[in-house]
Amino acid sequence: MNIPKKALAGIALAATAALGLTACGSNAGNAPAASGSASAGEVSGEITVYNAQHDTLTKEWVDAFTKETGVKVTIRQGSDTELSNQIVQEGQASPVDVFLTENSPAMAQVENAGLFADVDKATLDQVPAEFRPSTGKWTGIAARSTVLVYDKNKISDDQLPKSMLDLAKPEWKGKWAASPSGADFQAIVAALLELKGEAATEEWLKGMKENFKAYKGNSTAMKAVNAGEVDAALIYHYYYYGDQAKTGENSKNVTPYFFKNQDPGAFLSVSGGGVLKSAKNAAAAQAFLKFITGKQGQEVLKNGTSFEYAIASQVDANAKLTPIKDLQAPTVDPAKLNSAKVTELMTKAGLL
Ligand SMILES: [Fe+2]
């Protein structure tokens, strides 16, 4: 295990050095062994990851991590809420060491149940504060932007909505699609709730119910736009870029439109990773989280096929994507996204 240990220490040093360039006055230049409780070089054994992230992305992370450390990783695949509910139900008896999601609300649910351990400081130091909760109980691992994909033949530039809130206006009746049952869409509603409050969110959901067409899944909603069934769909960006990178057959009549201007529709949803208090192999679990938010893990996002945003260790976004800073996303503390309230409001509006 000598060689992998050295390799991993080298990565940690490189990431720390990179951070040191901008983290003026911080202790980022200190030896990494002193900054985290679990040294990534000393891990062994196995961990279980409950994975709600795209299985292909997590597989890439896991394969690279196992190669570096020799730690065997068992993945259990499910959706955000499926797995967060399961973790809460299983409690201390859960076999899970690490939980990874697509969106923040499921992380917040597990955090609120008091089941997460503190994330190692060395890991938090790799992730800019805007991409992790203020509590430090979990961290962002990737991000996805809200986007309106639309058919240029049906909607002209001057007809595009200035704000996501406009989609509740009468002129948008029957014109847009969404997948309300998915955690992706519910995270957008959670951001709206956090940014504009309950009354405005209820009002918007009422308008949505009047105006939108329901599809199951974001890719199905995008396909409906592509096929001319509906003019636009409110989804996440990577469905479009992922399809374009393959054959483009499900997005050839589709154009992405970003709301920008700190609009609720410019919400950047943070995918989360956390280590459970009850983890059987806490050291390896912490090392895994450090690895995926480190340079090598984030470069999987930059160079792979997920088209999700890299957010940590100063790794740039995939070159095909609009850089994060140009998305002008609103500031939202991911720990404050309230999935229970969202479910309540969406049920009340007849959307679930
Ligand atoms: Fe997704």
Side-chain angles (χ1 to χ4, degrees), residues 8-78:
L8 203 62
I11 291 158
L13 275 170
T16 309
L19 279 170
L21 292 175
T22 51
C24 40
S26 82
N27 61 357
N30 288 351
S35 56
S37 58
S39 167
E42 289 163 12
V43 295
S44 59
E46 48 189 278
I47 55 171
T48 297
V49 174
Y50 279 14
N51 180 50
Q53 246 298 348
H54 295 184
D55 52 353
T56 45
L57 170 60
T58 298
K59 183 98 183 22
E60 277 188 88
W61 275 331
V62 162
D63 289 348
F65 176 72
T66 301
K67 208 171 148 202
E68 290 284 347
T69 62
V71 172
K72 184 177 168 254
V73 180
T74 303
I75 300 175
R76 290 209 195 160
Q77 190 68 30

Side-chain angles (χ1 to χ4, degrees), residues 54 102 144 184 238-239:
H54 295 184
E102 282 202 89
R144 51 271 299 288
D184 285 357
Y238 55 83
Y239 290 95

Side-chain angles (χ1 to χ4, degrees), residues 75-152:
I75 300 175
R76 290 209 195 160
Q77 190 68 30
S79 73
D80 278 12
T81 36
E82 226 167 68
L83 292 178
S84 62
N85 286 334
Q86 192 177 333
I87 289 170
V88 170
Q89 233 163 47
E90 290 171 343
Q92 296 299 313
S94 178
V96 62
D97 293 288
V98 176
F99 183 33
L100 303 180
T101 63
E102 282 202 89
N103 300 286
S104 303
M107 299 302 292
Q109 185 194 348
V110 174
E111 176 178 355
N112 292 337
L115 297 173
F116 278 136
D118 290 333
V119 174
D120 277 0
K121 186 176 178 302
T123 302
L124 296 180
D125 284 348
Q126 299 183 139
V127 184
E130 66 262 40
F131 299 124
R132 53 183 166 83
S134 47
T135 56
K137 286 288 180 188
W138 52 275
T139 179
I141 55 171
R144 51 271 299 288
S145 175
T146 312
V147 70
L148 188 75
V149 290
Y150 72 103
D151 181 345
K152 262 191 183 308

Side-chain angles (χ1 to χ4, degrees), residues 130-131 260 262 268 309 317 322-329:
E130 66 262 40
F131 299 124
K260 301 189 175 180
Q262 286 75 44
L268 194 64
Y309 279 101
T322 305
I324 281 191
K325 63 173 173 31
D326 296 339
L327 294 173
Q328 301 170 11

Side-chain angles (χ1 to χ4, degrees), residues 134-207:
S134 47
T135 56
K137 286 288 180 188
W138 52 275
T139 179
I141 55 171
R144 51 271 299 288
S145 175
T146 312
V147 70
L148 188 75
V149 290
Y150 72 103
D151 181 345
K152 262 191 183 308
N153 296 318
K154 303 240 183 83
I155 301 172
S156 62
D157 285 358
D158 59 332
Q159 287 171 324
L160 281 166
K162 292 264 173 305
S163 165
M164 181 182 94
L165 299 178
D166 294 344
L167 297 175
K169 291 180 178 171
E171 60 263 35
W172 282 90
K173 193 171 172 63
K175 292 197 170 154
W176 63 283
S179 174
S181 59
D184 285 357
F185 188 81
Q186 289 175 21
I188 299 172
V189 179
L192 175 62
L193 177 64
E194 176 60 17
L195 289 163
K196 301 284 177 191
E198 189 170 334
T201 303
E202 270 201 283
E203 196 54 34
W204 189 76
L205 291 173
K206 225 166 103 188

